[in-house]
Amino acid sequence: MPYYPKLLLAVPFTPATGGRVLVAKGADHAEVVRIVGGAARKWLSETEVSGAHVLFLREQEAKEWC
């Protein structure tokens, strides 16, 4: 399987840990991350993109992506 093209979610030029999905105040962060993750997986299955890479995210958010 080719490595490229791939979807990359990161803050440009900043190798700093932090949230990668911004959520409105009062919204359920975990639910929003699950929705974004599901949409990313669906999009990947419909394209020739090899995978999605979410860089430098917090441990809790990493669990929410799964």
Side-chain angles (χ1 to χ4, degrees):
M1 170 186 277
Y3 184 67
Y4 293 101
K6 65 182 179 177
L7 173 64
L8 176 65
L9 296 127
V11 177
F13 313 113
T14 307
T17 301
R20 296 298 174 249
V21 177
L22 301 179
V23 178
K25 186 175 181 177
D28 182 344
H29 188 271
E31 180 64 18
V32 173
V33 171
R34 282 191 291 273
I35 291 168
V36 170
R41 283 188 290 278
K42 183 177 186 298
W43 182 76
L44 289 170
S45 72
E46 296 170 352
T47 65
E48 294 183 16
V49 176
S50 67
H53 303 257
V54 185
L55 304 182
F56 306 111
L57 67 165
R58 292 185 184 105
E59 185 176 346
Q60 181 57 41
E61 190 172 321
K63 292 175 185 176
E64 294 167 355
W65 275 90
C66 295

